[in-house]
Amino acid sequence: MFTQNKCLVHYCRNNALSTFDAEGNITDEKNYCLDHIPDPGLAKSAIYKYISEHEKIVGLNASGILFDNVDFSNKKFFGCNFTNCSFINFHADNLVSRMCFFDFSNFNDCSFTHSSMIFSSFSASTFAHSLLTSSNIIQCNFNAIQAFQSSFDDSDLFSSRFIKAVLTDTSFRNCNLKKAFFYDTERNNVSFKMSNTREALFSRNGESLEERSLI
């Protein structure tokens, strides 16, 4: 898990960005958050460089960073923090994510196809024109996301949560929805074709999508 050092500005409660030693390894050294760091461009470059040079990334804190036209394909992330980040034209096919946080982030024109994400959180994030298809997305948190023209098709969403999500023109075709939570969602033109909706929960009373439609 990433080191939860707070920003060196005494009144700031943001997590500090990761620091790196002379050999390029992540350290526990105290630092500023992106809002207060003296040279944000240099901090971003150091994080970009670290990710590009490592296949396995453990404990990285990159909160607030913009990733524009960056490729995370085939990378493995463990216990990393990407909260409040922006991902634009972002490629992350065959990504591995374990216990990572992407909360309050924006994903625009992104691809996570054939990925494996377990115990990771995307709560309150926004997805637009993004693909999370043909992936294993197990016990992940998508609560309160907003998704527009995005797709989770052909994915295993076992025990993942979409509570209070706003889903528009978004597809969950041919997905495993066993124990997935969709209650209190707003859905407009959402497809669950060929998915096992009877095993998902669409209300706090445990009703399936078919039972919910009869009310």
Side-chain angles (χ1 to χ4, degrees):
M1 185 63 69
F2 60 94
T3 300
Q4 297 191 46
N5 287 331
K6 295 301 179 183
C7 178
L8 284 170
V9 174
H10 69 88
Y11 59 80
C12 181
R13 305 309 301 160
N14 294 333
N15 284 317
L17 294 173
S18 288
T19 56
F20 307 93
D21 62 22
E23 286 73 41
N25 300 310
I26 295 176
T27 73
D28 292 332
E29 190 176 324
K30 295 184 182 298
N31 197 13
Y32 296 92
C33 71
L34 186 65
D35 291 339
H36 295 113
I37 199 162
D39 191 340
L42 182 62
K44 292 175 187 178
S45 295
I47 287 172
Y48 296 158
K49 184 174 186 290
Y50 184 83
I51 294 173
S52 68
E53 292 179 350
H54 293 78
E55 178 184 350
K56 182 179 179 181
I57 295 97
V58 181
L60 178 70
N61 189 351
S63 180
I65 298 290
L66 167 65
F67 295 94
D68 188 355
N69 198 29
V70 174
D71 196 336
F72 279 12
S73 296
N74 302 305
K75 299 289 185 181
K76 298 177 175 64
F77 294 90
F78 299 85
C80 295
N81 180 21
F82 293 98
T83 57
N84 294 295
C85 287
S86 293
F87 300 88
I88 302 172
N89 193 25
F90 172 77
H91 303 281
D93 301 320
N94 298 301
L95 176 85
V96 172
S97 171
R98 300 288 186 272
M99 291 289 294
C100 292
F101 298 87
F102 298 86
D103 304 321
F104 304 101
S105 293
N106 294 310
F107 299 87
N108 198 329
D109 291 311
C110 296
S111 174
F112 290 87
T113 62
H114 302 287
S115 292
S116 174
M117 295 183 280
I118 301 177
F119 302 128
S120 294
S121 180
F122 297 82
S123 68
S125 292
T126 300
F127 294 85
H129 313 290
S130 294
L131 300 175
L132 296 93
T133 56
S134 303
S135 296
N136 292 320
I137 305 173
I138 310 298
Q139 292 188 316
C140 289
N141 179 3
F142 293 90
N143 290 345
I145 67 164
Q146 296 187 54
F148 174 71
Q149 291 187 349
S150 295
S151 175
F152 292 81
D153 291 352
D154 304 307
S155 293
D156 187 350
L157 300 174
F158 174 77
S159 198
S160 288
R161 299 175 301 287
F162 294 82
I163 299 166
K164 294 186 180 297
V166 178
L167 309 172
T168 304
D169 299 324
T170 292
S171 180
F172 294 84
R173 294 176 180 234
N174 194 38
C175 289
N176 175 30
L177 302 179
K178 187 172 183 179
K179 294 186 178 179
F181 293 80
F182 287 91
Y183 50 75
D184 296 333
T185 55
E186 295 181 29
R187 301 188 300 276
N188 181 31
N189 193 28
V190 174
S191 175
F192 291 98
K193 187 175 181 180
M194 297 184 291
S195 296
N196 55 335
T197 54
R198 288 185 176 276
E199 296 189 81
L201 300 175
F202 285 85
S203 81
R204 296 179 185 274
N205 296 324
E207 294 157 331
S208 68
L209 183 63
E210 291 82 359
E211 292 168 328
R212 189 73 176 157
S213 65
L214 297 175
I215 298 177

